[in-house]
Amino acid sequence: NAGVTQTPKFQVLKTGQSMTLQCAQDMNHNSMYWYRQDPGMGLRLIYYSASEGTTDKGEVPNGYNVSRLNKREFSLRLESAAPSQTSVYFCASSEAGTGVHGYTFGSGTRLTVV
Amino acid sequence: GDSVTQMEGPVTLSEEAFLTINCTYTATGYPSLFWYVQYPGEGLQLLLKATKADDKGSNKGFEATYRKETTSFHLEKGSVQVSDSAVYFCALSGSGGSNYKLTFGKGTLLTVNP
């Protein structure tokens, strides 16, 4: 089925470890996004890529880096994980240049940092 | 900047009750407005949308009308079912240069009891 695929679905890290969350979409969307979801905070934008070859910071970028590998793939890297990064991470994609059509979301990665 | 305020939950209803979840927004220009739904353990799914003032979005018995004069986009359903239990997010897509980013409210948890 067409959509956004995130891996892994669950991950436990120790403080200071690094990891990369993977995201791929097969809808030929130009724009991709990483959000984190925390209780009582809703969804907060970490980084986004409006088009292949560009990335920009969102609302909460500290402690994260991203790579837009190609049009399909957008990865999120935690270089040195901290307990404050315990969260559910969602990747999303949308058609270029407009939010009229909204996003398509992946099913999320539940990350725990101990 | 853009912002979305939605009623805090949790909201608990009996089956067949009437549902209203309030959502108001602050944005410049003419944003598009969305409601997303998140079922337990899943990602967000687009429920309905409206792209201009006085538009009514509808899907699966849910409705919301874009009211520019009151900057509101309240979600309603005439008769809820147990299967409607989920978290509901109101969101907006800004106009102009930021029109590919969605700003979300904090979400409202709805529980429907048989």
Side-chain angles (χ1 to χ4, degrees), chain B residues 7 27 58 71 73-74 91 107:
Chain B
M7 65 185 289
S58 61
T71 62
F73 193 55
H74 305 320

Side-chain angles (χ1 to χ4, degrees), chain A residues 21-43:
Chain A
L21 282 65
Q22 306 289 350
C23 175
Q25 53 91 9
D26 58 5
M27 297 169 287
N28 203 36
H29 285 168
N30 282 300
S31 301
M32 298 185 73
Y33 313 84
W34 278 104
Y35 283 85
R36 60 178 289 173
Q37 183 180 27
D38 302 292
M41 301 293 291
L43 277 82

Side-chain angles (χ1 to χ4, degrees), chain A residues 33 35 37 40 97-99 103, chain B residues 34 36 38 89 93 99-100 102:
Chain A
Y33 313 84
Y35 283 85
Q37 183 180 27
T98 176
Y103 292 174
Chain B
F34 305 83
Y36 281 82
Q38 184 181 32
F89 291 91
S93 171
N99 68 355
Y100 47 80
L102 286 181

Side-chain angles (χ1 to χ4, degrees), chain B residues 84-98:
Chain B
D84 293 326
S85 297
V87 180
Y88 292 82
F89 291 91
C90 186
L92 72 82
S93 171
S95 56
S98 64

